[in-house]
Amino acid sequence: MFLLAHTGRPAAIRSAELVVQGLLRCGIGVRVLAEEAADLPLPPSVERVDAEECTAEGCELLVVLGGDGTLLRGADFARSSGVPMLGVNLGRVGFLAEAERDDLDKVVDRVVTRAYEVEERMTLDVLVRNNGNVVHTDWALNEASVEKAARERMLEVVTEVDGRPVSRFGGDGVVCATPTGSTAYAFSAGGPVVWPEVEALLMVPISAHALFAKPLVTSPRSVLAVEVQPKTPHGVLWCDGRRSVELPAGARVEVRRGAVPVRLARLHHASFTDRLVAKFALPVAGWRGAPQ
């Protein structure tokens, strides 16, 4: 079992200690990052490894303890190794998480007995061109966002879907998201919530100065593109808010469905609707349900 924790949080350190103890008692080996091991009270039997793409290979499960940022960090290892990721939320919202801090005993029991299901989540493959040449490639689980780099200046862009232009506008940028990412940055930018089982791509303008700059939902086979206009200040591409690259004027960002999904381990059969209501504390008092 590979364990990833946000060691900057005291709660994560204590949670990691409890999970490790529970797994070792049941005869399950545990692997952690060497850079995190120094901050965790771990017995010598815990395997320490360096942070590389293949770090989680050979593990049955990747257990992540932390907030949304830690879970997205874990997604890097999960995607490259194909190992399912089980998130325990120690942050605020944690849409990717399957359990909360108070569920640690249940998490260990489900892991030991393999009482979990695995579902695949769509990802994005991201490509940047400049002067016709591919200068950068990346991927994202939630979103790839093209944003202005200078706070005092708008970013002029033209958006495109499947090789045809849609709109030109100035603003703070554009978010291209998966259904999983529809409750993250795209949601904050005014995009729709899309149920995870819906296969689609989203394009959501950020604070656009335009008459037509509405969120778009396209086919999962579509190719979305955002072109930074030649006479605008340079922009920046962010993937999942973790990795960034500067976009010079004239750069073109292409986003399509990722070739490799991220696999998530699920402990509950609760619907996404219930998860949405719980995570956002939505008011549902007065609901009676369908007549029986």
Side-chain angles (χ1 to χ4, degrees), residues 203-227:
M203 178 180 278
V204 183
I206 310 170
S207 302
H209 291 248
L211 289 176
F212 184 85
K214 300 297 183 182
L216 304 177
V217 180
T218 74
S219 162
R221 297 177 296 279
S222 290
V223 178
L224 312 182
V226 180
E227 295 184 345

Side-chain angles (χ1 to χ4, degrees), residues 233-255:
H234 71 275
V236 60
L237 167 69
W238 284 94
C239 290
D240 283 338
R242 289 178 36 79
R243 302 174 300 279
S244 65
V245 62
E246 185 175 307
L247 299 173
R252 173 184 171 89
V253 178
E254 297 176 0
V255 178

Side-chain angles (χ1 to χ4, degrees), residues 130-149:
N130 191 27
N131 295 322
N133 299 316
V134 176
V135 296
H136 182 74
T137 59
D138 213 320
W139 80 282
L141 173 59
N142 277 350
E143 76 280 315
S145 59
V146 176
E147 303 177 38
K148 66 181 184 180

Side-chain angles (χ1 to χ4, degrees), residues 183-195:
T183 52
Y185 193 3
F187 178 83
S188 300
V193 174
V194 180
W195 267 234

Side-chain angles (χ1 to χ4, degrees), residues 20-30 112:
V20 169
Q21 290 174 352
L23 293 174
L24 292 178
R25 277 198 303 269
C26 295
I28 296 178
V30 179
V112 170

Side-chain angles (χ1 to χ4, degrees), residues 33-224:
L33 293 179
E35 62 191 63
E36 294 181 356
D39 298 321
L40 298 173
L42 301 173
S45 58
V46 173
E47 181 184 4
R48 279 80 164 168
V49 295
D50 294 329
E52 300 176 352
E53 281 194 357
C54 60
T55 292
E57 288 186 1
C59 294
E60 180 180 330
L61 201 63
L62 166 57
V63 179
V64 182
L65 308 174
D68 289 330
T70 311
L71 290 166
L72 288 172
R73 182 180 175 220
D76 285 336
F77 298 112
R79 174 180 174 271
S80 61
S81 64
V83 173
M85 179 175 73
L86 175 61
V88 178
N89 181 37
L90 303 181
R92 289 176 295 179
V93 180
F95 256 98
L96 288 173
E98 183 62 12
E100 302 296 326
R101 184 183 314 171
D102 296 337
D103 299 329
L104 286 178
D105 289 341
K106 182 187 298 182
V107 168
V108 172
D109 179 66
R110 293 290 191 89
V111 169
V112 170
T113 60
R114 295 178 175 169
Y116 57 85
E117 297 178 353
V118 177
E119 66 178 43
E120 292 187 347
R121 291 294 181 91
M122 180 192 300
T123 60
L124 302 175
D125 283 341
V126 186
L127 180 150
V128 180
R129 298 183 190 272
N130 191 27
N131 295 322
N133 299 316
V134 176
V135 296
H136 182 74
T137 59
D138 213 320
W139 80 282
L141 173 59
N142 277 350
E143 76 280 315
S145 59
V146 176
E147 303 177 38
K148 66 181 184 180
R151 181 179 180 183
E152 69 278 6
R153 298 285 299 277
M154 290 192 299
L155 186 70
E156 288 281 343
V157 300
V158 173
T159 57
E160 171 191 303
V161 176
D162 294 331
R164 303 304 303 163
V166 174
S167 184
R168 172 175 175 163
F169 55 83
D172 288 353
V174 182
V175 179
C176 298
T178 63
T180 299
S182 71
T183 52
Y185 193 3
F187 178 83
S188 300
V193 174
V194 180
W195 267 234
E197 60 266 27
V198 176
E199 295 192 335
L201 299 177
L202 285 72
M203 178 180 278
V204 183
I206 310 170
S207 302
H209 291 248
L211 289 176
F212 184 85
K214 300 297 183 182
L216 304 177
V217 180
T218 74
S219 162
R221 297 177 296 279
S222 290
V223 178
L224 312 182

